[in-house]
Amino acid sequence: REREDRQAEAAAEAAEKTRQKEEQDREKRRREEELAEQERERQREERRRSRREEKLRRKEQKRRERIDDGDEGSLVDEVDDQDDSDDAERRRESSSKGFFSQAYRGNQEQRKIWSEPIKGQVSNNYKGFTDADLDRRFGPPGSQAAGPAAQKLMTEEEVLAILRKGKAKR
């Protein structure tokens, strides 16, 4: 019986030692992965920094070349920087959108314009005209100011009477 207890204790101690060993191995791997990630991030940052420095170096070289060619220095640089950003924006827009997509967008804009409701909107077409000008052009309602050839519009009663006559004939 004692022998079995000792064997059980020895097995428990061995299991505990293996568990601790596994825990230490996991911790060691985790630290190694953290160090590797930190190294990768450092390398990325180094590449970013070197690209930034290269860009500044090229920009400075271009500026020197412009000055050597007889251009104005600082004013031209400011305008060129703005032009470069405008050109880049234009290139980005034009290269990403082809002819058909631009035509489609134009069609959509036209459709949007024509589909807008006009209810409740006031026209500015006759904004500077006086009432007399508008009366001369369109004539006041119910008068013959638009000319002798202008015909009087039918009233609702006259239209209904004509419709009734048409039904009665059938």
Side-chain angles (χ1 to χ4, degrees):
R1 176 141 171 107
E2 286 181 29
R3 186 174 178 197
E4 291 176 2
D5 288 342
R6 275 188 248 136
Q7 287 177 347
E9 285 179 21
E13 287 177 13
E16 180 66 22
K17 284 181 183 179
T18 56
R19 189 189 63 77
Q20 288 177 354
K21 177 81 169 143
E22 288 173 357
E23 183 68 30
Q24 289 173 352
D25 289 345
R26 271 184 286 199
E27 183 64 27
K28 185 178 178 182
R29 267 187 261 123
R30 188 185 62 78
R31 274 188 259 127
E32 288 172 352
E33 288 173 1
E34 281 181 8
L35 289 173
E37 182 61 32
Q38 288 173 355
E39 180 63 22
R40 283 192 296 268
E41 185 60 34
R42 188 191 62 74
Q43 289 173 349
R44 275 189 227 124
E45 188 59 39
E46 183 64 31
R47 283 193 302 267
R48 286 184 199 123
R49 192 175 329 112
S50 65
R51 282 191 299 251
R52 209 175 306 129
E53 289 171 358
E54 180 65 26
K55 186 176 179 180
L56 288 173
R57 197 175 323 114
R58 276 187 260 130
K59 198 172 188 178
E60 181 65 25
Q61 184 179 1
K62 272 186 171 182
R63 186 181 68 78
R64 274 192 239 113
E65 287 174 4
R66 279 190 218 114
I67 290 173
D68 291 344
D69 291 342
D71 293 346
E72 283 296 316
S74 62
L75 182 60
V76 171
D77 285 343
E78 291 174 16
V79 172
D80 283 346
D81 289 345
Q82 186 178 12
D83 289 345
D84 290 344
S85 64
D86 292 344
D87 289 344
E89 182 68 28
R90 229 178 288 119
R91 259 186 267 119
R92 196 176 316 117
E93 283 182 19
S94 66
S95 66
S96 65
K97 297 188 171 82
F99 172 77
F100 291 107
S101 63
Q102 289 175 350
Y104 179 75
R105 184 172 11 107
N107 189 20
Q108 293 301 315
E109 290 171 1
Q110 188 73 14
R111 186 177 290 169
K112 187 169 49 172
I113 289 170
W114 284 103
S115 67
E116 289 176 353
I118 58 169
K119 183 176 181 180
Q121 296 184 8
V122 178
S123 170
N124 290 322
N125 293 344
Y126 302 104
K127 195 169 184 174
F129 289 80
T130 63
D131 287 343
D133 293 335
L134 293 172
D135 284 347
R136 259 182 262 127
R137 178 153 185 190
F138 300 108
S143 75
Q144 297 296 324
Q151 295 180 356
K152 180 185 126 204
L153 293 175
M154 289 192 286
T155 63
E156 188 178 351
E157 290 81 22
E158 292 171 335
V159 172
L160 290 173
I162 291 172
L163 289 174
R164 285 188 200 113
K165 285 180 189 176
K167 282 185 180 179
K169 287 182 184 177
R170 289 185 203 166

